[in-house]
């Protein structure tokens, strides 16, 4: 017997706009969306009057239970997907890492084993490549294997020696192979030589405190690497190139310019670059803002917002990474502190506040950036929209209460949030993943094991 739930009288956020109405969830799918659906026969009816009813968020960039080889976040998939659900994120697309000497199938199997039956929400995976096989034929086989296994994206880095860095020759090979097989290439852009030189001169001057983190990784390093990646992609046959966590407007401008010339290029940003700046490094808690790329100069969030509002950014993710405060404080030098901040649970309230309530985004635009677009790019056909036949991944967001973000109320392990004490507009009220209610009136009621791996298809060709 499948359960049916009728959500009534909400403001539905649909691909073509907002509409007052009802949505019927039957089993794991949306059965109907309409102005006044009949309540008879529904097992449960939920009144969403005054609330916004959104498609569940699809975060295209998370690092749950991350092991970099140097540092390890202490969360697992039960914790990571619980904090996601509490934030209205119903699907995460995380990473499997292909370690040196490992085949991608083994890497994927190892990551799936780690996740086990702990996920509470659905998830997809990107494949992070750290060492390419010597022969192009072998690389092509890897990508074919990935597509067959439901992974449509690879991730490469232009920095982080010795574990992730790829030189231009390796990048070119990966891009060309991805063009042949039509995979999405995600790329972390920071010019390694510029970062290394800035770091060396700061260290030589004894300036290793967290206050110098931003200066060690200049914005120019990001813009140059993005520019180069776009050129290499063009030379490599034009695979779909997705530049992760753009932190300055100039990086987005590079993507926009390439796209205007017909290149398949997409920009992602994360909510921290839209809401925080490098003042964090001079404040009382600089460790709250240590990530790569770093937070930028005071004017950059406004420049990113302008690009976002002009339609130049495809997705907003979190780059969620749940290191604890103890880990962050253990080695208070920018060369040694683990980089990354938690964000899954604060993404939607922050965008509702600094995007929608501030007049920068409409709700349908927010839904496109955080749900429809990532689902289309990463080939999750049953996700990203409220529409009959698709997965019943639904968030009821009440935009009326003003609430305060507090680390102690979040469902992750970090023990801090860079948004401590921030006032936000609204709160996540109810969350459904494939028809099952995981959050009820703000309380988590889910269970480990409900989440499933979602197989990616080739990216939607129109995006
Ligand atoms: Zn990341």
């Amino acid at each position: 017997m499948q359960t049916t739930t009728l959500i009534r009288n909400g403001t539905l956020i649909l691909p073509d706009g907002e509409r007052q109405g009802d949505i019927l969830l039957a089993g794991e799918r949306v059965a109907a969306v309409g102005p006044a659906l009949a309540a008879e026969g529904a097992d449960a009816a939920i009144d969403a009057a005054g609330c916004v009813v959104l498609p569940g968020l699809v975060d295209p960039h998370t690092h749950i239970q991350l092991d970099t080889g140097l540092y390890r976040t202490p969360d697992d998939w039960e914790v990571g997907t619980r904090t996601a659900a509490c934030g209205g994120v119903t699907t995460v697309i995380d990473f499997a890492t292909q370690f040196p000497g490992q085949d991608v199938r083994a890497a994927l199997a190892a990551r799936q084993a780690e996740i086990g039956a702990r996920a509470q929400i659905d998830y997809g995976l990107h494949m992070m490549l750290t060492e390419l096989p010597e022969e192009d034929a072998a690389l092509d086989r890897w990508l074919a294997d990935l597509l067959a296994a439901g992974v449509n994206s690879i991730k490469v880095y232009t920095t982080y020696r010795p574990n992730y860095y790829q030189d231009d020759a390796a990048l070119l090979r990966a891009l060309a192979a991805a063009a042949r097989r039509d995979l999405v290439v995600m790329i972390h852009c920071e010019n390694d030589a510029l970062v290394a030189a800035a770091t060396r001169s700061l260290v030589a001057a004894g300036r290793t405190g967290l206050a110098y983190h931003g200066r060690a990784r200049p914005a120019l390093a990001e813009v140059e690497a993005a520019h180069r990646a776009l050129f290499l992609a063009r030379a490599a046959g034009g695979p779909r190139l997705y530049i992760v966590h753009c932190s300055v407007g100039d990086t987005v401008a590079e993507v926009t310019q390439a796209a205007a010339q017909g290149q398949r290029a997409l920009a992602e940003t994360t909510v921290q670059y839209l809401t925080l700046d490098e003042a964090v490094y001079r404040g009382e808690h600089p460790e709250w803002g240590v990530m790569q790329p770093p937070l930028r100069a005071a004017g950059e969030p406004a420049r990113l917002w302008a690009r976002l509002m002009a339609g130049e950014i495809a997705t907003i993710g979190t780059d969620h990474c749940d290191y604890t405060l103890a880990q962050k404080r253990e080695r208070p030098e920018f060369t040694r502190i683990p980089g990354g901040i938690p964000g899954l649970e604060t993404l939607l309230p922050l965008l509702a506040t600094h995007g929608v309530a501030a007049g920068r985004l409409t709700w349908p635009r927010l839904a496109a950036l955080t749900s429809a677009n990532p689902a289309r790019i990463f080939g999750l056909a049953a996700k990203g929209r409220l529409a009959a036949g698709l997965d019943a991944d639904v968030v009821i967001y009440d935009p009326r209460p003003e609430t305060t973000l507090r680390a102690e109320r979040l469902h992750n392990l970090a023990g801090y949030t860079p948004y401590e004490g921030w006032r936000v507009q609204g709160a996540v009220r109810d969350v459904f993943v494939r028809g099952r209610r995981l959050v009820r009136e703000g309380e988590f009621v889910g269970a480990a094991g409900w989440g499933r791996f979602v197989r990616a298809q080739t990216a939607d060709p129109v995006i």
Side-chain angles (χ1 to χ4, degrees), residues 61 63 95 155 157 188 245 319:
H61 189 157
H63 300 282
F95 298 86
K155 166 111 178 261
Y157 289 78
H188 174 121
H245 48 48
D319 206 359

Side-chain angles (χ1 to χ4, degrees), residues 5-25 30-35 37 45-57 87-88 90 348 352 356 362-368 370-372 384-388 391-400 427-433 435 437 439:
T5 306
L6 182 64
I7 301 170
R8 309 181 67 180
N9 306 318
T11 301
L12 303 173
I13 308 305
L14 304 173
D16 56 347
E18 298 182 12
R19 216 161 313 144
Q20 286 301 120
D22 305 344
I23 178 165
L24 181 68
L25 319 183
V30 172
V33 178
L37 301 177
I46 296 172
D47 185 18
C51 293
V52 175
V53 181
L54 294 153
L57 272 56
T90 56
L348 180 53
V356 179
T362 61
W363 281 109
R365 198 58 197 122
L366 181 151
T370 58
S371 186
R385 288 178 293 137
L386 298 179
D391 284 354
D393 297 344
V394 182
V395 177
I396 304 179
Y397 192 82
D398 187 343
R400 293 165 294 189
V428 172
R429 201 188 89 176
D430 296 271
V431 178
F432 294 82
V433 173
R437 204 173 188 178
V439 176

